Amino acid sequence: MRIRLLGQRNTSGIGTHYAHFCDALRQIQGIGNLVQEVDAFDHDQLLFAASQSEDSDINISFVALNLHGNFRGHNIQWTVFESTRIPEAVLATCLTSEQVWVPSDWGRSVVIAHGVTPSRIRVIPEGVDGDRFHTHGRRPYTKQRPFRFLTVGKYEQRKSLDETIDAFAKVYANTEAIELIIKSNYFINHDQKFQSLERKIQGLSNVQLLWGEMCHTDLSELYRSCDAFVLPSKAEGWGLPLIEAAASGLPVITNLYSGHHEFLRHIPDSVLPVTYTMGPVLCPEYQSYYPNTNGDWGQWARPDVVSIAGAMQTVCREYDALFELACANSFVIRRTFTWQNSVDLAIAAMGPIANFR
């Protein structure tokens, strides 16, 4: 029997999840030796892996692949999505898989609404690298430097960076004692996206843009050098920057909707919720990535700019108490959402079909 993991290690959220999950599963004695990684974007590897598959194998795909009829054995689809409407290609894999794994109860509810039998769905939360994202060495803010808000995310509608900038400008435009640091990038049209974001922050002397890839070590140090995190994303399958920020002991400003609510509900006293209204997904980029036949891309949460601004003011006003709460909650996040815990739940889900002893 093999446990075949189909995905790719890369810097994306899914690629990061895949890498950490693979590494954690390989550490389990008696099971790790069964693990085989397959690059889901290497056609030759896929064909060879399919030809070697056997009826006793477990095939877990971390991307939307049509395993049914191609891989022998028990097929499991791990999936994330970012609206109330699952992309058609992703849904097709869910409907034909023996099990469907999602990282949150919100994800489970959406999959059920699309007709997948609830007994086939397992909630397998993701983890966070607590050895890298932590509070050790963090110091509370002092007036020797500006107070730093941080946001991390791709420059796209879903991440609500424009709303974050508008909210910051509303209450702190060009205020020397307070900064907004934006760590952003995009996977296509790099120059065009960079120029667009630069235009958005033009005239704001206290907004700093860090554009492009950043290694995990530098990113973890960036979290610890800032004082509060703001990312009122319209929807997240999981929300890697949000959990990294929480693990780093930062008070978090966001809307409590979609996948990131799975972990933020454990630390409510250091989360400042943003009000929102549900609305249709009208983002042309998102629509181009997930073409469908009926023109319905579902809904997601639209954050209120005034609410974001108010939350920023609250953080500044109540910082001392929030700093202590967020540092304590870092331990909650790092203890509860480990990759080891994720693997333990996955092994339990595989148990009925794997005959583990």
Side-chain angles (χ1 to χ4, degrees), residues 335-356:
R335 176 190 60 197
T336 307
F337 295 96
T338 67
W339 291 109
Q340 188 60 62
N341 286 345
S342 180
V343 162
D344 287 345
L345 290 170
I347 291 172
M350 289 186 280
I353 58 179
N355 296 317
F356 292 136

Side-chain angles (χ1 to χ4, degrees), residues 13-30:
I14 294 176
T16 299
H17 172 212
Y18 177 75
H20 283 293
F21 185 91
C22 292
D23 291 342
L25 189 59
R26 287 187 181 278
Q27 294 299 313
I28 305 298
Q29 186 171 352

Side-chain angles (χ1 to χ4, degrees), residues 34-75:
L34 304 175
V35 173
Q36 179 189 54
E37 292 185 44
V38 178
D39 187 336
F41 298 95
D42 186 317
H43 185 66
D44 291 337
Q45 272 196 45
L46 284 175
L47 289 177
F48 181 76
S51 70
Q52 297 297 304
S53 62
E54 300 178 357
D55 292 341
S56 61
D57 292 349
I58 298 176
N59 307 299
I60 308 171
S61 180
F62 291 76
V63 296
L65 286 176
N66 180 21
L67 301 182
H68 186 67
N70 295 310
F71 281 79
R72 293 187 296 276
H74 307 278
N75 294 329

Side-chain angles (χ1 to χ4, degrees), residues 2 56 98 103 140 175 192 209-210 229-230 233 244 247 260 293 327 340 354:
R2 289 191 180 93
S56 61
E98 189 168 340
T175 301
Q192 177 184 346
L209 175 57
L210 305 176
F229 189 77
V230 52
S233 181
E244 290 173 347
H260 52 286
T293 57
C327 285
Q340 188 60 62

Side-chain angles (χ1 to χ4, degrees), residues 110-312:
V110 174
V111 173
I112 290 173
H114 281 72
V116 177
T117 306
S119 61
R120 293 199 290 118
I121 306 169
R122 303 290 187 275
V123 175
I124 312 292
E126 297 185 44
V128 66
D129 185 353
D131 292 332
R132 179 169 279 121
F133 300 99
H134 53 71
T135 60
H136 309 311
R138 266 205 78 202
R139 296 289 184 268
Y141 162 72
T142 66
K143 293 184 179 180
Q144 295 176 342
R145 62 166 176 80
F147 186 96
R148 297 171 183 148
F149 287 99
L150 172 66
T151 187
V152 176
K154 297 188 293 292
Y155 189 43
E156 59 183 2
Q157 280 192 29
R158 182 172 63 86
K159 296 293 186 178
S160 300
L161 294 190
D162 283 352
E163 291 91 332
T164 297
I165 295 166
D166 290 343
F168 182 78
K170 183 180 290 289
V171 288
Y172 295 125
N174 302 317
T175 301
E176 291 185 3
I178 300 177
E179 293 181 342
L180 172 63
I181 298 177
I182 302 171
K183 161 63 188 75
S184 188
N185 60 8
Y186 205 67
F187 50 88
I188 58 173
N189 300 327
H190 303 279
D191 293 340
Q192 177 184 346
K193 284 285 188 175
F194 173 66
Q195 292 165 9
S196 180
L197 185 50
E198 274 202 320
R199 286 194 296 271
K200 180 66 181 178
I201 64 176
Q202 191 171 10
L204 294 171
S205 61
N206 57 339
V207 176
Q208 179 182 356
L209 175 57
L210 305 176
W211 182 263
E213 294 291 336
M214 182 177 288
C215 71
H216 285 145
T217 298
D218 290 344
L219 185 59
S220 65
E221 292 175 356
L222 177 62
Y223 283 118
R224 286 191 294 277
S225 72
C226 293
D227 305 297
F229 189 77
V230 52
L231 187 66
S233 181
K234 295 176 176 65
E236 294 285 348
W238 177 248
L240 189 61
L242 283 157
I243 197 170
E244 290 173 347
S248 301
L250 293 176
V252 172
I253 298 172
T254 189
N255 52 287
L256 293 176
Y257 172 78
S258 71
H260 52 286
H261 185 251
E262 187 73 20
F263 52 87
L264 292 182
R265 64 188 172 90
H266 291 263
I267 56 169
D269 51 3
S270 60
V271 176
L272 292 91
V274 170
T275 60
Y276 62 87
T277 56
M278 296 299 295
V281 177
L282 301 177
C283 175
E285 288 174 333
Y286 185 94
Q287 293 177 358
S288 69
Y289 301 147
Y290 303 112
N292 64 40
T293 57
N294 62 11
D296 179 10
W297 283 269
Q299 294 194 329
W300 55 21
R302 296 174 172 176
D304 178 69
V305 169
V306 173
S307 180
I308 301 169
M312 289 178 170

